[in-house]
Amino acid sequence: MKYLLLIHSGAIDADGAAAECGVEDWMVYDKAVRDAGIHVSGESLADLVTATTVRVGPDGERTVTDGPFAETREVLGGFYVIDVPDLDAALDWAARCPGARGGGSVVVRPVAEFEV
């Protein structure tokens, strides 16, 4: 079953990186996911200041604003989609993720599969 691991950083340093872990930590985790044969896809996201939000009102009018200005200190930093047997396995991989350390968190969600 496929699961999405949404990686939220609780704090970022001056370079926009998660303060709790370094590049080496991510490289080790990424290699482990790939070596385990569970990697489906994944990406690190560009700096939050590059984000744009689109909303469409009831009248169909589109409003475009810079960034997601949510009332939160967490920043969505990236994601993995993994293919593992069950939720317990997905939770184990989420707990191993460097993004889960310190003030960070990893949200685990099953990927919906629709029959065609």
Side-chain angles (χ1 to χ4, degrees):
M1 182 166 192
K2 292 180 185 159
Y3 289 89
L4 173 66
L5 307 182
L6 286 168
I7 304 161
H8 295 271
S9 176
I12 56 174
D13 62 21
D15 297 322
E20 296 88 9
C21 52
V23 173
E24 301 82 20
D25 298 314
W26 286 105
M27 291 173 64
V28 168
Y29 181 74
D30 193 69
K31 183 177 183 333
V33 169
R34 291 174 190 278
D35 288 351
I38 63 170
H39 182 266
V40 175
S41 67
E43 297 292 339
S44 178
L45 301 176
D47 193 318
L48 184 62
V49 299
T50 65
T52 305
T53 299
V54 177
R55 290 183 174 81
V56 178
D59 59 356
E61 184 175 340
R62 180 175 75 173
T63 304
V64 179
T65 57
D66 289 337
F69 295 106
E71 293 296 321
T72 180
R73 295 190 186 273
E74 288 187 341
V75 175
L76 177 61
F79 70 92
Y80 280 90
V81 176
I82 58 173
D83 193 350
V84 293
D86 53 36
L87 177 59
D88 287 336
L91 295 175
D92 288 342
W93 281 100
R96 293 172 61 180
C97 180
R101 297 180 192 157
S105 66
V106 177
V107 175
V108 179
R109 300 211 26 206
V111 174
E113 296 183 22
F114 300 100
E115 294 183 30
V116 179

